[in-house]
Amino acid sequence: MLTLDVAKIDINSYRDLLKKYIDHQDESSLYGAEQMSKAFIKNHILPDEIVSLHIQSLMELYPSLSQDIQNSMRFLLETMIYYGLAHQEYQALRENQLALRSEISLAANVQTTLLKTDKPDIEGLDIGVISMPAHQMNGDYYHFIKGKQDSLGIAVADVVGKGIPAALCMSMIKYSMDILEEEAMMPAKILKYLNRVVERNVDASMFITMFYAQYTPTDNLLRYASAGHEPGFFYCAQTDTFSEIETKGLVLGVLPDSAYPSYEQKINKGDMIILLTDGVTECRRGNEFIKREEVLDVIKQYMHLPAQDIVNHVYKYFERLQDFQLRDDFTLVILRREV
């Protein structure tokens, strides 16, 4: 039987309190037990120690206690010993989990700071963007780079992998782009450059898909290339039709010498470019994935609104569709030429 440290708790007080309750079952005894339990917690008395104290007090009060009762109390003591060990392990795991959550929260705040990009003000171009993580860390990434004569670089990327490694990977991509001269920011060239960066510096188990485009208002052309990224959409105002943006290109980080074909699209007044990640097109209704056309159907409902309102409404629609629990990071960018 366990022996308690009498300096921590008064064994005689517990025995007297137990005797009083057995004899009278009064409220004052229960109140005394409540106060004593606070002392147990304060002095870090384990459950099995409390049971041992109870058995010791009971045997002193009733020496002739039947053998069956004594055996049952020993059984209870052994049970509480294992319970105490399991409870300590649970508490340690819980403390570690709380510490991990705190670290992830800090990392998420750092990620937000490192990857912050401001939506630029380009005359004649209406821009809407939303990027929402499914969890604390965002595996999606978007970035705007405003250049000379209001040229605009737009990057949308998705890391195959989540959490802190993905966030660090995205930070590397952002700063790799930031150090490039504007003359080197042509889509095919930047993807070729970033592919080498990822292939040399990122674990082989992680890949990045990316769509990079450059819009130049001087000729109203969108030049773009893709590294295995989710195809976006082009809306032609003249014909009032949507078409998929077709591109070819291997995801970043697979082969060191990958080449990325360049494409271009004339942007007329009222035309829209819709860029997204697979967290948009792979939303689920129950256990079934939606069809890509449903994304366009929702966009059509709000096309009369500014671009930022459109992306906000689309996000709210699919958030409700998934019972407000995103299964993947959600990023949507809309560019519309207004003049």
Side-chain angles (χ1 to χ4, degrees), residues 18-284:
L18 176 62
K19 179 68 167 62
K20 183 181 178 183
Y21 180 74
I22 292 174
D23 290 343
H24 305 289
Q25 292 90 50
D26 60 342
E27 291 294 328
S28 64
S29 300
L30 293 177
Y31 177 75
E34 178 185 344
Q35 298 306 307
M36 190 164 286
S37 68
K38 294 178 181 179
F40 290 154
I41 295 172
K42 181 180 179 180
N43 291 289
H44 307 291
I45 304 299
L46 298 175
D48 53 283
E49 292 180 307
I50 298 173
V51 173
S52 180
L53 169 63
H54 184 82
I55 295 173
Q56 183 176 336
S57 299
L58 201 61
M59 294 300 294
E60 290 178 4
L61 290 172
Y62 305 101
S64 59
L65 204 62
S66 73
Q67 190 62 47
D68 289 343
I69 298 297
Q70 293 184 43
N71 292 339
S72 71
M73 296 305 292
R74 291 193 184 95
F75 179 82
L76 175 61
L77 177 60
E78 290 297 320
T79 302
M80 294 310 295
I81 289 173
Y82 289 112
Y83 169 83
L85 293 173
H87 183 69
Q88 285 180 305
E89 183 179 353
Y90 166 78
Q91 286 295 105
L93 289 173
R94 187 170 182 272
E95 289 173 5
N96 290 337
Q97 186 181 51
L98 291 174
L100 180 60
R101 285 181 180 177
S102 178
E103 290 178 6
I104 292 176
S105 178
L106 177 60
N109 291 333
V110 172
Q111 180 194 36
T112 300
T113 301
L114 290 176
L115 301 185
K116 179 177 173 56
T117 183
D118 296 321
K119 187 171 67 174
D121 184 13
I122 305 292
E123 186 176 356
L125 193 65
D126 185 20
I127 303 173
V129 58
I130 190 167
S131 185
M132 301 298 294
H135 305 291
Q136 283 182 281
M137 305 296 292
N138 198 340
D140 286 356
Y141 166 67
Y142 73 92
H143 188 43
F144 295 112
I145 303 173
K146 187 175 180 179
K148 300 174 183 177
Q149 297 181 313
D150 274 354
S151 68
L152 177 65
I154 313 111
V156 178
D158 186 0
V159 177
V160 182
K162 304 299 180 186
I164 294 177
L168 294 174
C169 196
M170 285 306 186
S171 299
M172 180 185 66
I173 289 291
K174 178 183 185 295
Y175 286 100
S176 296
M177 286 192 294
D178 284 346
I179 64 175
L180 290 175
E181 297 292 333
E182 185 175 349
E183 291 72 18
M185 297 297 284
M186 295 300 292
K189 288 184 178 180
I190 194 170
L191 289 185
K192 187 175 180 64
Y193 165 69
L194 291 176
N195 178 66
R196 291 198 300 269
V197 172
V198 174
E199 195 273 333
R200 294 173 183 175
N201 297 283
V202 177
D203 186 89
S205 64
M206 293 183 67
F207 306 112
I208 300 173
T209 72
M210 186 171 183
F211 184 97
Y212 189 83
Q214 185 181 52
Y215 174 71
T216 50
T218 52
D219 54 10
N220 294 310
L221 272 180
L222 185 82
R223 298 172 177 86
Y224 59 90
S226 176
H229 194 72
E230 183 76 11
F233 301 97
F234 170 68
Y235 170 73
C236 177
Q238 184 177 4
T239 59
D240 190 27
T241 57
F242 286 88
S243 58
E244 191 172 273
I245 297 176
E246 296 184 4
T247 56
K248 294 181 180 180
L250 194 62
V251 298
L252 301 179
V254 177
L255 297 175
D257 299 318
S258 294
Y260 297 91
S262 183
Y263 304 84
E264 61 180 43
Q265 173 69 53
K266 185 73 173 180
I267 307 298
N268 297 308
K269 181 181 179 180
D271 290 352
M272 291 196 308
I273 298 295
I274 301 160
L275 308 178
L276 39 73
T277 58
D278 57 11
V280 180
T281 54
E282 294 182 3
C283 288
R284 297 185 186 183

Side-chain angles (χ1 to χ4, degrees), residues 274-298:
I274 301 160
L275 308 178
L276 39 73
T277 58
D278 57 11
V280 180
T281 54
E282 294 182 3
C283 288
R284 297 185 186 183
R285 180 179 283 103
N287 293 321
E288 295 184 0
F289 289 107
I290 65 165
K291 296 181 179 179
R292 282 174 60 86
E293 290 76 13
E294 186 167 350
V295 177
L296 299 180
D297 290 339
V298 180

